Amino acid sequence: MPCVRLTPSFATILLFYVCLLKYFNTGPIWPDLIQETTKMCKQSWWQNLLYIQNYDDLFNLCIPEAWYLAVDMQLFLIAPVLLLGLRKWPRIALLALTALILLSIASCSITSWVFDIQRTGVYPSPAMKFYYTATHARASPWLLGFILGYIMSKYSKEKGPPNIDYRAALITWMLALVVFGVCVFVGSDENFASHERINNLFYNSFRRPAWALAMCWVIFSCHFGFGGNVT
């Protein structure tokens, strides 16, 4: 299990932050800086070892970069339940996965509206733990990938390669590239209606699942031979 493999190394890093990091640099501001870091590690080390630190304030974490370990671990823990559902009751499980995706998107919409999150990636502090680092807000791409894995497994083991017309594949590729472009360039354009709350809400709600859905097509098409030169 990932927790058995990961936790000893992670615990060692936490111990290093608490006990040894202060000896690895010098300078006029280093003592104050490292004192604050060490203080946060002493207070929140248990959150890191339980992999729940992503729901705390990102600016008060011992190792801020490790927030995604918590997201990954929490999603891993629900994976066996989803796999069992797909094996025993595939239709119900797929409906449940779809519902979870919609709930994840809805949570992003609510958070974006309440905190007036801009598209530029500068989030107010309360929004960080509800939108940027929250597992429920990050779940939709992972769930889409979960469904993709199930579909590819079904085709590979039972149905054989899908029969997709080359024109349909070409159109889907073009749509995927458009989605990639919108996610990248609209999000980086600070002047593109960044002040409009509704536009920000739609972008913040759908950019993650939209990117993941386009990437799912790239993986699916390349795996089954519809990727052309990309494959």
Side-chain angles (χ1 to χ4, degrees), residues 227-231:
N229 293 330
V230 177
T231 306

Side-chain angles (χ1 to χ4, degrees), residues 22-38:
K22 61 184 177 181
Y23 300 113
F24 277 72
N25 204 347
T26 59
I29 66 171
W30 179 251
D32 293 333
L33 177 64
I34 201 60
Q35 182 180 11
E36 187 64 26
T37 301
T38 303

Side-chain angles (χ1 to χ4, degrees), residues 73-115:
M73 186 63 68
Q74 291 163 23
L75 292 173
F76 169 80
L77 291 176
I78 69 171
V81 177
L82 299 177
L83 286 171
L84 179 63
L86 286 173
R87 182 177 179 84
K88 298 292 186 180
W89 313 281
R91 292 185 179 180
I92 296 176
L94 287 172
L95 287 175
L97 285 166
T98 303
L100 290 174
I101 292 170
L102 294 177
L103 287 173
S104 178
I105 294 172
S107 73
C108 292
S109 300
I110 294 170
T111 306
S112 179
W113 181 265
V114 170
F115 294 104

Side-chain angles (χ1 to χ4, degrees), residues 124-146:
S125 180
M128 294 293 287
K129 63 180 178 180
F130 296 116
Y131 177 76
Y132 187 76
T133 63
T135 302
H136 61 267
R138 293 264 178 186
S140 58
W142 184 85
L143 293 168
L144 285 167
F146 203 91

Side-chain angles (χ1 to χ4, degrees), residues 121-213:
V122 179
Y123 309 119
S125 180
M128 294 293 287
K129 63 180 178 180
F130 296 116
Y131 177 76
Y132 187 76
T133 63
T135 302
H136 61 267
R138 293 264 178 186
S140 58
W142 184 85
L143 293 168
L144 285 167
F146 203 91
I147 294 174
L148 172 67
Y150 173 74
I151 293 173
M152 291 176 63
S153 176
K154 294 289 286 186
Y155 272 110
S156 299
K157 294 181 179 179
E158 299 178 11
K159 300 181 180 181
N163 183 20
I164 301 177
D165 183 77
Y166 79 94
R167 288 168 294 187
L170 179 61
I171 292 173
T172 310
W173 265 100
M174 293 174 63
L175 289 174
L177 293 175
V178 169
V179 169
F180 287 143
V182 170
C183 290
V184 172
F185 294 109
V186 172
S188 63
D189 185 1
E190 297 183 5
N191 298 316
F192 185 79
S194 60
H195 62 284
E196 294 187 15
R197 206 165 188 173
I198 295 296
N199 290 345
N200 292 329
L201 183 149
F202 273 97
Y203 181 79
N204 292 328
S205 301
F206 292 103
R207 68 184 178 95
R208 290 170 182 167
W211 179 279
L213 194 60

